[in-house]
Amino acid sequence: MASDFNYRILQSTLQEIRVLCIDPDRNVSDINPLRYELKHISLQNVPVEHFLAVSYCWGTSKTRASIVLDGQNVTIPQITAVALRNLSKVFSCPLWIDAVCIDQNNLREKSQQVGMMGQVYSKAVSVIIWLGPSQSSTADAIISMEKIYEQCLEVIGDLKDLNAHLYGSDGSPGFKYSNAPLPDCDWPALQAFYSAQWFGRLWVIQEIGLAQDSTVYVGSYSIGAEKVVLAARWMVHRKYARYCGGSESPGIESASSMYRPAGRPLANQLRRTHRAACREARDKVYGLLGLLHEETASAIAADYTKPLVDVYAHAIRLALHEARDLSLLQFAAWYKSPRLRNNRARRLIQRVSQYSQDIQWPSWVLKLHGETSDESGACRNVLTFNRSTMGTSFGLQTKILDESLILSLRGLTIDTISLVGPIYTVDLLKNSAKLAEALRWCVQHSCKHRTTEESTCIRDLAICLTCGSNKVNADAELHQEHIKHSLFSYMGAGSFPLPFYTRYQESLIGFYLAIHVKILQCIGMICGLKLSTGASL
């Protein structure tokens, strides 16, 4: 942002943006200050005046540099000044760069301009991607990307057939991988190239995905952005990690996902970008606006004064409504609160603040700004989420309530939850003693208000599942028959003492779902308490 500078107000009704026009004498040597004039142009004009949009990574450095803007000395982020100085040596066309062309201190203007980012990058004559100064390996990395790109074209012939090649035409879902070799490349140079921070940012997906034309600049080197993205996609397809000591490169993985990202549903975009970083937490949603279907994007208005939880709640509700199912919620357990990295005093303050925030944070609202881990117990194998549409005659419907943090769904009344217990994760399956303790809790609470026959059946089931570990029922005698037919003795064998189906799924949840109907009725309280959490047994 340009400090101590009075911006002339943009006319939002004309969809105006500001662009930087370099001083006509183009004296952009490293010792002279950069001199620019700000000009307003309207994106409504046909055709739109030519300008270049700059895509780069702000970074975390607080170092600033001086430029001359409309005859006034102002300071901007050092990394912005470096990008402008290098690009102004190459281009004479007006430049649009967010740190200078948007008044970052004006939240109203920022919100309005963020809503226009899709138009800015799609209507620019070209998008210039600045990765930073070159390295000694940059030239070798570019040569390697050219080789990989050429191999890709030789194999598929036409880029129109790329998705058919990568996803197959046999109707089976999922990305396809090949053991075919990649060309001889400088792999350390490629890893260094894709390690640039730019590849890990969220905003850049929109910036490169909507561009009419785009070029990557690293110091004085340049290469077409399409080659950078397609090379990464081809590397992933042909298992590049085997050439890199078995390790995946986050930058290569991110670049691979940048190929034609627009037009996907919101739920899909949220999942694909869950590891992408951004400075402002609300941009986890706002940074995707240009990539969404028009109807969905129009329902989201960028507003940086809006509480974060409200921004996410609105986005998740829209994603569920658009998808017409609840499958996005299976990832709720992936998202944890952001990790604290400050000193002890600040950590304490932030911990108290985070605790207060978590109390008010609804369980159905994914913490998109948090760190993600599939070790948190995400229920990826539970068919409940994927079958939530209940067939074509019962589509998912959401209802907007006055209370924005409550998700209201149309559904069928199956049972009533009378007691909510602890939340268990898949880690419970790794510890038989803890599993037995969990089942004992279920037995103790589910046997209340049950008939003697039902209670006995539940206790027998618990003993069978745990082989008597930690004595689920202190009064129960463990017979050899229980041990012989216990869950851990017969895992996957397809034989159980109770009338179970012979299919054992990947988790205990799947096991519960495969239990005979009569037994399921007896332990309905257990399943109701646990499965309702979405990240439990």
Side-chain angles (χ1 to χ4, degrees), residues 316 320 326-333 364-366 385 407 409 534:
I316 299 300
L320 298 179
L326 299 175
S327 57
L328 179 62
L329 297 186
Q330 68 181 298
F331 299 97
W364 61 275
V365 179
L366 278 61
F385 292 106
L407 178 67
L409 302 173

Side-chain angles (χ1 to χ4, degrees), residues 8 11 46 193 234 255 316 404 424 437:
R8 185 160 58 91
Q11 299 298 316
V46 180
F193 183 93
W234 194 251
I316 299 300
S404 62
Y424 298 118
E437 181 65 26

Side-chain angles (χ1 to χ4, degrees), residues 49-318:
E49 292 185 53
H50 281 197
F51 70 95
L52 303 175
V54 181
S55 174
Y56 70 113
C57 177
W58 280 36
T60 58
S61 175
K62 296 182 179 180
T63 306
R64 302 182 69 82
S66 295
I67 65 171
V68 179
L69 195 59
D70 287 347
Q72 181 180 343
N73 287 318
V74 297
T75 61
I76 62 174
Q78 174 70 28
I79 192 168
T80 306
V82 172
L84 285 174
R85 186 173 295 279
N86 281 269
L87 297 178
S88 294
K89 293 177 181 178
V90 181
F91 302 102
S92 58
C93 188
L95 300 175
W96 182 93
I97 190 166
D98 55 0
V100 183
C101 295
I102 297 177
D103 183 355
Q104 300 291 332
N105 294 320
N106 185 334
L107 290 182
R108 181 176 180 181
E109 177 181 302
K110 182 179 177 182
S111 298
Q112 187 267 334
Q113 289 283 288
V114 163
M116 295 170 54
M117 287 299 95
Q119 294 185 65
V120 170
Y121 283 95
S122 62
K123 293 188 176 183
V125 66
S126 182
V127 172
I128 307 302
I129 300 166
W130 172 254
L131 298 188
S134 61
Q135 305 177 43
S136 58
S137 61
T138 299
D140 292 329
I142 291 177
I143 292 173
S144 295
M145 283 183 282
E146 296 276 7
K147 288 182 180 179
I148 297 171
Y149 179 76
E150 290 172 4
Q151 183 189 67
C152 174
L153 291 183
E154 288 175 3
V155 173
I156 64 175
D158 192 330
L159 288 180
K160 294 180 180 179
D161 301 323
L162 180 63
N163 280 340
H165 185 89
L166 297 181
Y167 290 92
S169 55
D170 57 359
S172 59
F175 189 83
K176 309 301 180 186
Y177 296 91
S178 170
N179 290 317
L182 285 162
D184 184 26
C185 296
D186 188 330
W187 295 103
L190 282 170
Q191 288 177 296
F193 183 93
Y194 284 102
S195 68
Q197 290 185 2
W198 184 89
F199 291 102
R201 308 302 293 177
L202 185 143
W203 274 105
V204 303
I205 301 173
Q206 175 178 253
E207 293 163 5
I208 190 175
L210 299 178
Q212 300 180 44
D213 176 75
S214 52
T215 305
V216 176
Y217 283 81
V218 188
S220 59
Y221 296 96
S222 65
I223 180 174
E226 181 182 73
K227 293 182 179 180
V228 175
V229 171
L230 277 178
R233 198 140 184 84
W234 194 251
M235 282 189 278
V236 172
H237 170 60
R238 292 206 166 182
K239 302 179 181 179
Y240 72 93
R242 53 186 164 158
Y243 300 96
C244 304
S247 300
E248 292 184 349
S249 163
I252 293 176
E253 298 291 327
S254 296
S256 172
S257 68
M258 293 178 187
Y259 181 73
R260 296 182 181 177
R264 301 173 186 266
L266 176 56
N268 180 278
Q269 297 286 12
L270 292 173
R271 290 198 300 269
R272 294 176 74 249
T273 60
H274 72 275
R275 288 192 174 91
C278 50
R279 291 166 58 95
E280 163 59 57
R282 294 170 184 81
D283 287 341
K284 279 288 189 175
V285 174
Y286 300 154
L288 300 175
L289 291 180
L291 301 175
L292 305 178
H293 296 300
E294 184 177 352
E295 182 179 355
T296 303
S298 63
I300 302 175
D303 183 355
Y304 288 94
T305 64
K306 194 173 183 180
L308 180 63
V309 66
D310 290 345
V311 174
Y312 287 0
H314 182 59
I316 299 300
R317 182 183 284 108
L318 280 175

Side-chain angles (χ1 to χ4, degrees), residues 460-475:
D460 286 345
L461 173 65
I463 294 174
C464 172
L465 292 178
T466 63
C467 192
S469 174
N470 204 26
K471 287 201 174 184
V472 177
N473 181 1
D475 299 327

